[in-house]
Amino acid sequence: MYNLHKFKKKLQYSQYDYVFKKFEDMYRIVNLLTLPLVGVYKICVVSNEIKDIMSFIDKEQDYMQLQVDIYTDQSVLDYVSRYNPSAQIVANESDYDIFLRLISERGILFDKYCIYKLYSSIEHDLSYMIESLDLIVQEYGKNEMITLDMLSQLFVINDLVYPSNVLRKFLAQDRNRFKILQKCLSQMDNDVVVGATVKEIKRLIGTKADYLKHGVSEDKRIKSIDTENLLLAYKVFVSERGGINDAFILYKLYEMGVTTIDIKEGVI
């Protein structure tokens, strides 16, 4: 089987048994391989040669005993999808999307909130995520509900609450949002929290604008963020902050739906 991926600079080659830059080199080697006793050989091909890629897709049935991942430029992916709509092109995935897919592939059951706790506590390169999840399967099997205590036996769990997590809780009107804010403020300096929140709001505004314009985004959660709530957060924390630098007060203003300018103008 094969998959086409958009090439990325941080590609983790260590996950593959063989890596090639030319299909002709791949054919020369894989035609000599015998089937492994367990699993399949994982092959990586990095190429922008459209003719070679299309040729491989035409005869991919001859290589079903292999997992072939082809990495190429977006323009090549667009060409292939146009002339071969059934081509197996993998949509751009965030590191977290990949992590969720790896969990699903292994059938691991996690208790509430444990998945993100684990994700935020380990490195996000593919090989390390695979190694971490395989360790869980090795230690606990697939029929156990994995709890935070169980994860703590294998990993150093990061219990830090990031400002970006707090912001998303407020944008989603999570019922525990103020408790999460208070925990974040107990772990970080107020100025750090405000600065990081402003940075995240600006990033989300840009990402949301791109999503509304093009209908796609690498941030899979951007669709669920309420646009009006995001714009209000921008007004409160960025454009109409009025010199206030207290995270708790700013979030209180956000909850009230007003800014410092509204207060000065007697809106409330």
Side-chain angles (χ1 to χ4, degrees), residues 34-49:
T34 55
L35 291 177
L37 295 177
V38 180
V40 297
Y41 285 113
K42 298 188 68 176
I43 309 295
C44 170
V45 183
V46 181
S47 173
N48 287 325
E49 295 297 328

Side-chain angles (χ1 to χ4, degrees), residues 33-97:
L33 295 177
T34 55
L35 291 177
L37 295 177
V38 180
V40 297
Y41 285 113
K42 298 188 68 176
I43 309 295
C44 170
V45 183
V46 181
S47 173
N48 287 325
E49 295 297 328
I50 295 176
K51 182 178 179 181
D52 292 344
I53 293 173
M54 298 292 280
S55 175
F56 174 79
I57 293 174
D58 288 340
K59 55 188 176 185
E60 58 100 7
Q61 290 291 332
D62 297 337
Y63 299 94
M64 289 296 292
Q65 76 278 17
L66 306 172
Q67 171 58 57
V68 181
D69 287 331
I70 304 166
Y71 292 88
T72 188
D73 288 344
Q74 183 63 51
S75 59
V76 177
L77 293 178
D78 293 340
Y79 179 92
V80 172
S81 64
R82 189 181 306 120
Y83 290 97
N84 188 344
S86 62
Q88 298 175 40
I89 299 176
V90 177
N92 291 336
E93 294 179 298
S94 67
D95 290 337
Y96 189 62
D97 291 328

Side-chain angles (χ1 to χ4, degrees), residues 113-122 124 148 152 156-167 169 179-190 192-193 196:
Y113 303 126
C114 284
I115 291 179
Y116 192 76
K117 283 286 186 183
L118 176 60
Y119 176 76
S120 64
S121 302
I122 63 174
H124 296 160
L148 192 57
S152 298
V156 177
I157 298 300
N158 178 9
D159 200 32
L160 196 64
V161 177
Y162 293 99
S164 59
N165 295 338
V166 175
L167 174 63
K169 295 297 183 183
K179 289 182 180 179
I180 295 170
L181 171 60
Q182 289 171 337
K183 184 173 183 179
C184 179
L185 288 171
S186 73
Q187 296 173 332
M188 297 184 188
D189 182 77
N190 174 81
V192 173
V193 173

Side-chain angles (χ1 to χ4, degrees), residues 40-264:
V40 297
Y41 285 113
K42 298 188 68 176
I43 309 295
C44 170
V45 183
V46 181
S47 173
N48 287 325
E49 295 297 328
I50 295 176
K51 182 178 179 181
D52 292 344
I53 293 173
M54 298 292 280
S55 175
F56 174 79
I57 293 174
D58 288 340
K59 55 188 176 185
E60 58 100 7
Q61 290 291 332
D62 297 337
Y63 299 94
M64 289 296 292
Q65 76 278 17
L66 306 172
Q67 171 58 57
V68 181
D69 287 331
I70 304 166
Y71 292 88
T72 188
D73 288 344
Q74 183 63 51
S75 59
V76 177
L77 293 178
D78 293 340
Y79 179 92
V80 172
S81 64
R82 189 181 306 120
Y83 290 97
N84 188 344
S86 62
Q88 298 175 40
I89 299 176
V90 177
N92 291 336
E93 294 179 298
S94 67
D95 290 337
Y96 189 62
D97 291 328
I98 293 172
F99 189 60
L100 293 177
R101 175 166 55 80
L102 293 173
I103 291 172
S104 177
E105 289 173 355
R106 286 157 178 75
I108 307 174
L109 302 175
F110 283 94
D111 200 3
K112 192 175 183 181
Y113 303 126
C114 284
I115 291 179
Y116 192 76
K117 283 286 186 183
L118 176 60
Y119 176 76
S120 64
S121 302
I122 63 174
E123 296 178 24
H124 296 160
D125 70 79
L126 182 60
S127 60
Y128 196 86
M129 290 194 289
I130 290 174
E131 180 182 328
S132 300
L133 294 174
D134 286 347
L135 176 61
I136 292 172
V137 173
Q138 177 183 327
E139 292 295 323
Y140 299 119
K142 296 183 178 181
N143 298 319
E144 287 281 344
M145 176 68 73
I146 306 302
T147 65
L148 192 57
D149 287 340
M150 295 165 73
L151 291 177
S152 298
Q153 301 299 314
L154 303 177
F155 309 95
V156 177
I157 298 300
N158 178 9
D159 200 32
L160 196 64
V161 177
Y162 293 99
S164 59
N165 295 338
V166 175
L167 174 63
R168 287 190 181 255
K169 295 297 183 183
F170 273 86
L171 292 174
Q173 294 292 289
D174 185 278
R175 65 178 182 176
N176 295 315
R177 55 193 179 277
F178 275 103
K179 289 182 180 179
I180 295 170
L181 171 60
Q182 289 171 337
K183 184 173 183 179
C184 179
L185 288 171
S186 73
Q187 296 173 332
M188 297 184 188
D189 182 77
N190 174 81
D191 289 349
V192 173
V193 173
V194 173
T197 302
V198 169
K199 183 178 180 179
E200 179 66 3
I201 289 172
K202 290 179 177 179
R203 187 191 71 81
L204 289 174
I205 286 287
T207 303
K208 188 71 170 181
D210 287 341
Y211 172 76
L212 293 174
K213 181 178 180 180
H214 302 292
V216 294
S217 174
E218 292 186 9
D219 187 340
K220 303 301 181 183
R221 296 176 294 174
I222 197 67
K223 180 181 179 181
S224 63
I225 294 178
D226 184 89
T227 303
E228 290 188 9
N229 287 351
L230 182 56
L231 291 175
L232 174 60
Y234 183 84
K235 289 173 64 179
V236 172
F237 279 85
V238 185
S239 64
E240 299 181 17
R241 196 163 97 203
I244 293 179
N245 206 46
D246 186 297
F248 190 84
I249 292 176
L250 289 168
Y251 271 114
K252 271 291 189 180
L253 291 174
Y254 168 82
E255 286 287 302
M256 296 166 63
V258 298
T259 69
T260 56
I261 292 180
D262 293 327
I263 295 175
K264 289 177 183 178

